[in-house]
Amino acid sequence: MMDQGLASSAPTPGASFTVAAPPDRRARASSGDLTDLYAPILDDLLSAQRIFDQELISDLPFVNELCATIRTYRGKMLRPALLLLAAKACGGVSKSHHTLAAVIEMVHVATLVHDDVLDEADERRKQPTVGAMAGNTAAVLLGDYLISHAFHLCGILDDHYALRRIGKTTNTVCEGELLQNVQRLRRDLTEKEYFDITQRKTGVLTATACELGAKLAGADDATVEALSDYGLWCGVAFQIVDDVLDIVGDEKQIGKTLGRDFSLGKLTLPTIHCLANAAPETAAALRDALTASDSCGPGRLRDWLAETDSIEYARSAARAYVADAVRQLDILPPSDAKTSLISMTEFVVRRRF
Amino acid sequence: MMDQGLASSAPTPGASFTVAAPPDRRARASSGDLTDLYAPILDDLLSAQRIFDQELISDLPFVNELCATIRTYRGKMLRPALLLLAAKACGGVSKSHHTLAAVIEMVHVATLVHDDVLDEADERRKQPTVGAMAGNTAAVLLGDYLISHAFHLCGILDDHYALRRIGKTTNTVCEGELLQNVQRLRRDLTEKEYFDITQRKTGVLTATACELGAKLAGADDATVEALSDYGLWCGVAFQIVDDVLDIVGDEKQIGKTLGRDFSLGKLTLPTIHCLANAAPETAAALRDALTASDSCGPGRLRDWLAETDSIEYARSAARAYVADAVRQLDILPPSDAKTSLISMTEFVVRRRF
């Protein structure tokens, strides 16, 4: 994954905010889209980024070096952008919003760091190395360091509502991750169970981002609730597309190995749909391949999913969720931030990285 | 490790608070000591325990089952007891103290859960199993769940000072763990570096426990600082004794495998002292054994350490730290809680589990 600076087009020269974007032309066009979407809050996003970076500065040089490695995890900055756009659309962005945007991103990056530990643990089943072990240990601790700093940052805010919502949200995210882990080897996972996991592990964080953006901008209860729902459905759609891209994405554009869900035995919407709708022999082959995960190449999986049009089924589910999300925005008066929130839903379903 | 109920002698029948204690007679006597020491705050400790248990209740039954497994981690309840005794000695225990005591214990248990993941990761170098992997994944997530709930509990408090101190403390604990990890394979670790790690990873949490106990009881700044120092030196002494017991303890009494530090290549005070003071051939043999960790039985290690009297050296260091800790308590008026705080330091250095 390469970093392509958004900072060059930003009004604050030398700022460290970057949007990870792949190098080919089509991808650059997507990154351009994102820059346009973020335009109403680009300065605020840079402020949040500075708070994020400053919070992690340690008196131990090696900790600073370790934290530098998480730059590769900072991709689209989607969650802080949603929080700031929601704030702008509801009255205006304050310093508390910058801090909360940094908190939300820090929580998100911590989950990515620990997710990688969990994934690595399984990859290591095939080839254990001491180097991978040392990396694993540091990654558990780095994730803890990020979670701790996220809450430490919350302490700077003089806002108990925000603190309680963040605490409640991270509780739910952890439950979602635990739920996903315990359901991982089940072959009869239902769509309902998939959506329950997805809401908990991904949806609630984007919901809270939008909710707090609105709430701290002084929005009324109905607007806060609408923005929370917008964030929830956006997050669920984002996760569905993430799961689709794990099967049919382009590794270079996404910047990570494809097929991770499948090799970990995780069912996602496309595979759940295929198992439920395929001819018995296809379903049996898919089930067998999931059990002996690495015996199936991505090509065979795509062929099976094509039989039931399951990728398109998942994409259409994502489109339905963002349509619901957009309807929530009717409560807002017109603004450039509202326009960006609407366009963001298009990005969520159209994105290739 | 077996649980022996303290609840039976407590004024609240049926409460779930237990002090883990081993079954033999000498250990039972030690557990008796601890029950006596906790007498001034036993009801409060039970209240903290109830808050701890209630906070972790989930709408997902399997999460509740997973949380039940951490009962084995709940041992001496030393940190919440220190917080509550400090509060009592400084004016009185409030509901906020109960909540904070639960928070401090939750942070502590989270570090134990993640420590075990890190240790397991290394043990697994020798014999990787899928079962161990599944356990590892759940343990990373369970640790995260505990950290999240600790901060969620903080949100119940209407006390920004406490929240900021907890956040700052967990940042430092994480740094201590990271520092220990990065220094792990160094054979030239100095005593100064060992104490730096020990203060960060263990000392600051007991310091914050005592500091917040005093502060929220309305103590003046000098008393708060004295209690913080008391907690810091108690914590450091506790860790030194922990490291000693990892070498010369009784597995049945301690309830965990001995020699973990050594097999992970972690130098602690006894081994650092021995390397610096032993005859060249003994130091060379110890260094070699540390590098190829499992080639050395505990007997050989004890023989080497006996040559330089390094176990006694470490124990005397612990005694010096608790002597400093006790001196801090001169600022307090006489009370049963103060007496317990003094006696606690004796327990810290004399304990066998």
Side-chain angles (χ1 to χ4, degrees):
Chain A
M1 192 188 284
M2 281 183 62
D3 280 342
Q4 179 181 315
L6 259 194
S8 57
S9 62
T12 312
S16 66
F17 170 62
T18 54
V19 165
D24 83 2
R25 191 183 296 168
R26 191 173 43 183
R28 222 175 280 139
S30 304
S31 173
D33 289 353
L34 216 45
T35 312
D36 293 344
L37 296 184
Y38 291 177
I41 45 93
L42 203 50
D43 272 354
D44 300 301
L45 205 51
L46 291 164
S47 296
Q49 184 63 70
R50 271 191 294 272
I51 293 169
F52 184 105
D53 289 340
Q54 278 164 9
E55 173 62 29
L56 295 182
I57 293 173
S58 167
D59 63 330
L60 300 169
F62 85 94
V63 172
N64 295 326
E65 285 167 33
L66 195 61
C67 285
T69 65
I70 60 168
R71 286 186 66 88
T72 55
Y73 287 91
R74 284 203 316 237
K76 294 175 272 295
M77 295 282 284
L78 193 78
R79 290 150 191 86
L82 284 174
L83 186 149
L84 296 167
L85 285 169
K88 187 105 190 252
C90 289
V93 181
S94 67
K95 280 192 177 174
S96 294
H97 285 115
H98 297 158
T99 304
L100 269 176
V103 167
I104 291 274
E105 181 68 2
M106 215 171 272
V107 168
H108 169 60
V109 175
T111 65
L112 292 185
V113 170
H114 277 184
D115 272 355
D116 271 6
V117 176
L118 310 181
D119 289 0
E120 252 188 63
D122 276 75
E123 280 178 21
R124 218 179 310 122
R125 269 196 266 175
K126 298 168 207 156
Q127 198 171 0
T129 66
V130 178
M133 287 290 175
N136 210 14
T137 299
V140 171
L141 296 175
L142 178 60
D144 293 351
Y145 185 77
L146 289 165
I147 298 169
S148 174
H149 275 273
F151 283 106
H152 179 252
L153 252 185
C154 278
I156 290 170
L157 291 171
D158 214 13
D159 190 303
H160 260 269
Y161 178 86
L163 174 64
R164 281 172 203 166
R165 293 296 299 125
I166 299 275
K168 184 86 184 131
T169 301
T170 55
N171 287 350
T172 308
V173 170
C174 289
E175 285 182 341
E177 295 273 356
L178 282 162
L179 198 54
Q180 177 172 269
N181 181 53
V182 85
Q183 308 279 35
R184 198 157 54 88
L185 297 174
R186 275 187 50 206
R187 297 286 151 262
D188 58 345
L189 194 74
T190 64
E191 284 195 18
K192 188 170 175 295
E193 288 169 319
Y194 166 83
F195 285 120
D196 183 28
I197 292 170
T198 304
Q199 283 195 33
R200 289 181 194 251
K201 106 181 158 128
T202 311
V204 295
L205 191 58
T206 43
T208 300
C210 294
E211 174 193 328
L212 291 179
K215 177 80 178 176
L216 272 73
D220 60 41
D221 288 352
T223 305
V224 170
E225 198 182 328
L227 266 294
S228 172
D229 286 348
Y230 163 87
L232 181 64
W233 304 136
C234 259
V236 170
F238 184 89
Q239 185 61 55
I240 294 171
V241 174
D242 226 45
D243 295 342
V244 164
L245 290 176
D246 188 56
I247 300 168
V248 297
D250 178 330
E251 273 190 12
K252 280 193 202 145
Q253 285 194 54
I254 295 176
K256 61 184 181 185
T257 315
L258 295 192
R260 297 210 297 181
D261 293 334
F262 193 81
S263 70
L264 293 169
K266 274 189 226 166
L267 287 185
T268 57
L269 193 53
T271 40
I272 292 169
H273 178 262
C274 183
L275 282 172
N277 294 282
E281 59 272 24
T282 302
L286 176 53
R287 241 188 306 271
D288 288 351
L290 274 160
T291 306
S293 52
D294 47 0
S295 69
C296 163
R300 274 182 75 200
L301 176 60
R302 287 178 204 170
D303 289 345
W304 289 326
L305 297 175
E307 277 185 35
T308 44
D309 216 5
S310 296
I311 292 293
E312 176 48 29
Y313 174 79
R315 284 198 188 277
S316 70
R319 284 193 296 270
Y321 276 110
V322 298
D324 267 355
V326 169
R327 270 192 290 277
Q328 304 299 324
L329 301 178
D330 290 347
I331 202 165
L332 294 174
S335 70
D336 56 352
K338 178 180 176 177
T339 305
S340 280
L341 286 170
I342 295 169
S343 304
M344 196 77 109
T345 64
E346 290 160 26
F347 170 78
V348 163
V349 288
R350 281 195 300 106
R351 73 197 176 92
R352 296 179 179 278
F353 66 97
Chain B
M1 192 188 282
M2 279 183 62
D3 279 343
Q4 179 181 314
L6 259 194
S8 56
S9 62
T12 312
S16 66
F17 170 63
T18 55
V19 165
D24 82 5
R25 188 184 298 168
R26 192 174 41 182
R28 222 175 281 137
S30 303
S31 174
D33 290 350
L34 216 45
T35 312
D36 292 344
L37 295 185
Y38 291 177
I41 45 93
L42 202 49
D43 272 354
D44 301 301
L45 206 50
L46 291 164
S47 296
Q49 183 64 72
R50 272 192 294 273
I51 293 170
F52 184 104
D53 289 340
Q54 277 163 11
E55 172 63 27
L56 295 182
I57 293 172
S58 167
D59 63 330
L60 300 169
F62 84 94
V63 172
N64 296 325
E65 285 167 32
L66 195 61
C67 286
T69 65
I70 60 167
R71 286 184 67 89
T72 56
Y73 287 92
R74 285 204 314 237
K76 293 174 273 293
M77 295 282 284
L78 192 78
R79 290 150 193 84
L82 284 174
L83 187 149
L84 296 166
L85 286 169
K88 186 105 191 249
C90 290
V93 180
S94 66
K95 281 193 177 173
S96 294
H97 285 115
H98 298 158
T99 305
L100 269 177
V103 167
I104 290 275
E105 181 67 2
M106 213 169 275
V107 168
H108 169 60
V109 175
T111 66
L112 292 185
V113 171
H114 276 184
D115 272 356
D116 271 6
V117 176
L118 309 182
D119 289 2
E120 250 187 64
D122 276 74
E123 279 178 25
R124 220 178 307 124
R125 271 195 264 177
K126 297 168 205 155
Q127 199 171 1
T129 66
V130 178
M133 288 289 176
N136 211 14
T137 299
V140 171
L141 296 174
L142 178 60
D144 292 350
Y145 186 77
L146 289 165
I147 298 169
S148 174
H149 275 274
F151 283 105
H152 179 251
L153 253 185
C154 275
I156 291 171
L157 292 170
D158 213 14
D159 191 303
H160 260 268
Y161 178 86
L163 173 65
R164 282 174 202 166
R165 294 295 300 126
I166 299 274
K168 183 86 185 131
T169 301
T170 55
N171 287 350
T172 308
V173 171
C174 289
E175 284 182 341
E177 295 273 356
L178 282 162
L179 197 55
Q180 176 173 268
N181 180 53
V182 84
Q183 307 280 34
R184 198 157 54 88
L185 296 173
R186 275 186 50 204
R187 297 287 151 261
D188 57 346
L189 194 74
T190 64
E191 284 195 17
K192 188 170 174 295
E193 288 168 323
Y194 167 82
F195 285 120
D196 182 29
I197 292 169
T198 303
Q199 282 195 33
R200 289 181 194 252
K201 108 183 157 127
T202 311
V204 294
L205 192 58
T206 44
T208 300
C210 295
E211 175 195 328
L212 292 179
K215 177 81 178 178
L216 272 72
D220 59 41
D221 288 351
T223 305
V224 170
E225 196 181 330
L227 266 294
S228 172
D229 285 349
Y230 163 87
L232 181 64
W233 304 135
C234 259
V236 170
F238 185 89
Q239 186 61 56
I240 294 171
V241 174
D242 227 46
D243 295 342
V244 163
L245 290 174
D246 188 57
I247 300 168
V248 298
D250 178 330
E251 272 189 13
K252 278 192 204 145
Q253 286 194 53
I254 295 177
K256 60 182 181 187
T257 314
L258 295 191
R260 295 210 297 181
D261 293 334
F262 194 81
S263 71
L264 292 170
K266 273 190 227 167
L267 288 185
T268 57
L269 193 54
T271 40
I272 291 168
H273 178 261
C274 183
L275 282 172
N277 294 282
E281 59 273 21
T282 302
L286 175 53
R287 240 188 307 270
D288 287 353
L290 274 160
T291 306
S293 51
D294 47 1
S295 68
C296 163
R300 273 182 75 201
L301 176 60
R302 286 176 205 171
D303 290 345
W304 290 326
L305 297 175
E307 276 184 36
T308 44
D309 217 6
S310 296
I311 292 293
E312 176 49 29
Y313 173 79
R315 284 199 187 278
S316 70
R319 284 194 296 271
Y321 275 110
V322 298
D324 266 355
V326 169
R327 270 192 292 277
Q328 304 298 324
L329 301 177
D330 290 346
I331 203 166
L332 294 174
S335 70
D336 57 351
K338 178 180 176 177
T339 305
S340 279
L341 286 171
I342 294 168
S343 305
M344 196 78 108
T345 63
E346 291 161 25
F347 169 78
V348 163
V349 289
R350 281 193 302 104
R351 72 198 177 91
R352 295 178 180 280
F353 66 97

